[in-house]
């Protein structure tokens, strides 16, 4: 085999193997989130399957190019079908709980791809007989790792950003199909199989009917819903989770938590001519038809504005839109806002891990004016009894002191919980009252 062709094959292997891992992590976000308890096992299992692939490839003693060609073709089929959005969505929709679907997805799609492609380098180094063993393996690993680097960077920062996740899936599938043809002996059967795999991958990733728009960060869908006494109500779904509601009534009606936030700002706090920072754009309904205050929305996905304006609001948003990570923005901004609204989720109940820490809430407080107010929409259990609910609320109050907590759906297992804190408050020592030492009357007098 010509040396340049061998290097091209191992480059494709590296590009597509790590590309498949990046795509798989993105496909999992709408269903199980992106927390460390999901990403770490996924990466670990991928690497385990890759290691087993190396060991299997070391045992191959004949038909080297035919083995790799077969592996590439099988991988192209697994990537093209198994990583297609309609297939992943269908898997998680029909298999409950989500953990079962996750295991099947990782064990049936991602790990087999890693195992098959992991055989490439040890198998093809058998063909580098004109080179020393160390030299052969070194150059092969170099081109494979270079492919992994370029695959992860180009697919995540270019293809998925500008063309969508489905195009990234198709790119990997087609590259693997082409790689199998470069290795296989000429023949109509091999060409026919590769072309068939490419056509199937193209059809399921580009032409499968769907109302979902996928970007590098999330899946978006706008669907009509049935709500009594609402005029043309429609829901905005982000990663399969209801993010916002709006209708064409006069005045429009919104999701309950949005209406609660609007009431707090416009009626309870009597905001007029104030600046409001909203972390997490959602459906941009907080400022919808609200002309009295200035709104700045911060969201990491640059495409969410166009989707919301054309499909959901059916009108331009009110306010400024900034594409940035929420934590980075509150840390860097020099502006001080009268209110900061935190409404950031990667899935129905999952807030990105770096947006729940004490350091994040400290940065958020710094972005407030001296008399400013923090409003945070959280999804917690209605009784606030879980460790997550207790610790998250305690983390916020360790920065802001005592905060108001409004549970909007107390009868449901999961509820919108709106937390309101003031920048003027400070955390302080707590002394419980007891029969032996009851300072309630003195504290009441001091509080007046």
């Amino acid at each position: 085999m010509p040396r340049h062709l061998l290097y091209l094959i191992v480059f494709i292997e590296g590009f597509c193997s790590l590309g498949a891992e990046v795509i798989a992590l993105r496909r999992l976000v709408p269903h199980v989130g992106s927390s460390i308890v999901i990403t770490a096992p996924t990466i670990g299992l991928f690497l385990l399957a890759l290691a087993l692939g190396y060991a299997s490839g070391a045992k191959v003693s004949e038909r080297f190019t035919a083995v790799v060609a077969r592996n590439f073709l099988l991988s192209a089929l697994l990537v093209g079908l198994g990583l297609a959005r309609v297939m992943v969505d269908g898997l998680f929709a029909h298999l409950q709980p989500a953990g079962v679907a996750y295991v099947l997805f990782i064990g049936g799609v991602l790990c087999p791809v890693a195992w098959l492609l992991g055989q490439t380098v040890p198998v093809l180094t058998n063909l580098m007989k004109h080179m020393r063993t160390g030299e052969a393996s070194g150059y092969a690993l170099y081109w494979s790792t270079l492919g992994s680097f370029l695959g992860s960077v180009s697919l995540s920062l270019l293809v998925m950003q500008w063309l969508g996740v489905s195009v990234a899936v198709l790119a990997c599938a087609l590259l693997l199909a082409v790689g199998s043809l470069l290795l296989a002996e000429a023949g109509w059967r091999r060409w026919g199989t590769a072309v068939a795999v490419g056509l199937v991958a193209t059809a399921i990733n580009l032409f499968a009917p769907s109302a979902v728009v996928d970007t590098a960060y999330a899946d978006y869908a706008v669907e009509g819903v049935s709500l009594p006494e609402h005029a043309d109500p429609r829901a905005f779904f982000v990663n399969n989770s209801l993010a916002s509601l709006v209708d064409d009534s006069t005045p429009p009606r919104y999701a309950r938590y949005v209406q609660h936030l609007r009431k707090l700002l416009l009626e309870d706090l009597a905001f007029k001519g104030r600046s409001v920072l909203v972390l997490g754009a959602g459906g941009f309904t907080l400022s919808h038809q609200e002309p009295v205050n200035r709104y700045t929305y911060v969201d990491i996905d640059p495409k969410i504005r166009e989707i919301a304006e054309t499909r959901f609001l059916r009108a331009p948003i009110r306010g400024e839109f900034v594409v940035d990570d929420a934590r980075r923005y509150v840390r860097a901004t020099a502006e001080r806002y009268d209110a900061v609204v935190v409404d950031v989720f990667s899935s129905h109940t999952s807030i990105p891990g770096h947006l729940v820490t004490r350091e994040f809430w400290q940065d958020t407080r710094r972005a407030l004016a001296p008399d400013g107010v923090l409003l945070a929409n959280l999804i917690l259990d209605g009784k606030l009894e879980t460790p997550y609910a207790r610790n998250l609320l305690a983390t916020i109050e360790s920065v802001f002191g005592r905060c108001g907590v409004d549970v909007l759906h107390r009868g449901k297992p999961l509820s919108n919980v709106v937390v309101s804190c003031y920048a003027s408050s400070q955390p302080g020592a707590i002394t419980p009252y007891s029969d032996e030492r009851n300072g309630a009357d003195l504290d009441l007098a001091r509080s007046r």
Side-chain angles (χ1 to χ4, degrees):
M1 175 182 291
R3 184 183 301 185
H4 69 274
L5 179 58
L6 191 149
Y7 291 156
L8 176 61
I9 294 300
V10 296
F11 177 87
I12 292 174
E13 172 269 320
F15 187 100
C16 294
S17 61
L18 203 61
E21 182 183 21
V22 170
I23 294 168
L25 289 169
R26 166 59 186 83
R27 287 293 191 215
L28 288 171
V29 170
H31 307 286
V32 293
S34 57
S35 67
I36 193 68
V37 298
I38 298 298
T39 57
T42 302
I43 294 171
L45 290 169
F46 173 86
L47 292 175
L48 176 61
L50 201 63
L52 295 174
Y54 295 152
S56 297
K59 298 178 182 178
V60 176
S61 58
E62 58 182 359
R63 303 180 62 248
F64 303 122
T65 57
V67 169
V68 176
R70 178 204 63 195
N71 290 351
F72 268 43
L73 198 56
L74 290 174
S75 297
L77 187 62
L78 283 170
V79 169
L81 296 183
L83 295 182
R85 181 178 43 75
V86 292
M87 299 294 285
V88 179
D89 289 352
L91 177 65
F92 279 88
H94 292 94
L95 286 179
Q96 295 296 328
V100 175
Y102 170 82
V103 171
L104 187 57
F105 175 70
I106 297 300
V109 178
L110 185 60
C111 284
V113 169
W115 181 77
L116 288 167
L117 295 182
Q119 299 176 33
T120 305
V121 170
V123 169
L124 292 186
T125 49
N126 289 290
L127 301 177
M128 300 180 178
K129 297 180 179 180
H130 57 287
M131 303 172 67
R132 293 180 292 104
T133 302
E135 183 183 9
S137 59
Y139 276 113
L141 290 172
Y142 165 78
W143 285 103
S144 175
T145 306
L146 181 63
S148 297
F149 166 74
L150 293 177
S152 61
V153 171
S154 63
L155 290 176
S156 60
L157 299 183
L158 296 177
V159 179
M160 291 168 63
Q161 293 282 352
W162 298 103
L163 301 175
V165 185
S166 296
V167 175
V169 174
L170 181 59
C172 287
L174 293 181
L175 271 176
L176 289 168
V178 170
S180 72
L181 291 177
L182 293 175
L183 287 166
E185 296 179 0
W188 66 267
R189 181 174 298 178
R190 180 68 65 181
W191 275 88
T193 304
V195 170
V197 169
L199 290 176
V200 170
T202 302
I204 198 169
N205 283 283
L206 298 188
F207 300 107
S210 175
V212 177
V213 178
D214 58 14
T215 71
Y217 300 98
D219 290 352
Y220 300 100
V222 177
E223 299 178 7
V225 291
S226 178
L227 295 173
E229 302 180 359
H230 284 249
D232 189 21
R234 49 197 179 274
F236 189 49
F237 290 92
V238 180
N239 286 332
N240 296 332
S241 301
L242 178 63
S244 199
L245 289 168
V246 73
D247 71 357
D248 293 334
S249 303
T250 305
R253 302 180 184 182
Y254 309 101
R256 183 176 175 183
Y257 86 92
V258 173
Q259 294 189 155
H260 185 78
L261 290 171
R262 288 171 68 104
K263 180 179 181 296
L264 287 175
L265 291 171
L266 301 177
E267 298 180 21
D268 297 356
L269 297 172
F271 267 31
K272 188 174 184 180
R274 302 290 193 92
S275 59
V276 181
L277 173 66
V278 186
L279 303 179
F284 296 90
T285 49
L286 192 62
S287 63
H288 184 236
Q289 297 188 14
E290 201 282 83
V292 299
N293 293 295
R294 304 181 303 276
Y295 291 83
T296 300
Y297 289 92
V298 176
D299 199 283
I300 199 170
D301 193 342
K303 295 188 177 181
I304 190 172
R305 175 176 183 169
E306 178 185 357
I307 297 170
E309 288 181 336
T310 57
R311 294 171 174 245
F312 180 59
L313 296 177
R314 300 172 184 171
I317 67 166
R318 288 206 72 261
E320 180 186 2
F321 177 54
V322 178
V323 178
D324 204 350
D325 176 79
R327 181 164 178 176
R328 182 170 57 187
Y329 183 85
V330 293
R331 175 177 292 178
T333 183
E335 188 167 351
R336 298 297 174 260
Y337 295 89
D338 297 303
V340 174
V341 179
V342 179
D343 187 22
V344 184
F345 292 88
S346 59
S347 63
H348 180 54
T349 60
S350 177
I351 302 174
H354 68 299
L355 301 182
V356 296
T357 64
R358 194 167 188 269
E359 291 77 9
F360 167 70
W361 300 112
Q362 288 172 337
D363 289 337
T364 303
R365 179 172 187 147
R366 193 187 61 81
L368 283 168
D371 60 344
V373 60
L374 167 78
L375 300 174
N377 173 49
L378 312 174
I379 303 293
L380 305 173
D381 66 290
K383 296 180 180 179
L384 306 181
E385 292 179 339
T386 63
Y388 180 69
R390 293 177 184 272
N391 290 331
L392 180 51
L393 294 174
T395 302
I396 297 173
E397 293 190 342
S398 72
V399 175
F400 285 93
R402 180 58 62 194
C403 299
V405 179
D406 298 320
V407 182
L408 304 187
H409 307 279
R410 292 187 179 274
K412 296 184 178 180
L414 292 176
S415 171
N416 287 98
V417 177
V418 177
V419 178
S420 54
C421 314
Y422 291 90
S424 57
S425 300
Q426 294 291 338
I430 298 173
T431 304
Y433 300 133
S434 65
D435 289 339
E436 185 69 25
R437 299 182 63 181
N438 189 344
D441 292 336
L442 180 59
D443 286 346
L444 181 59
R446 293 166 57 196
S447 300
R448 288 175 177 171

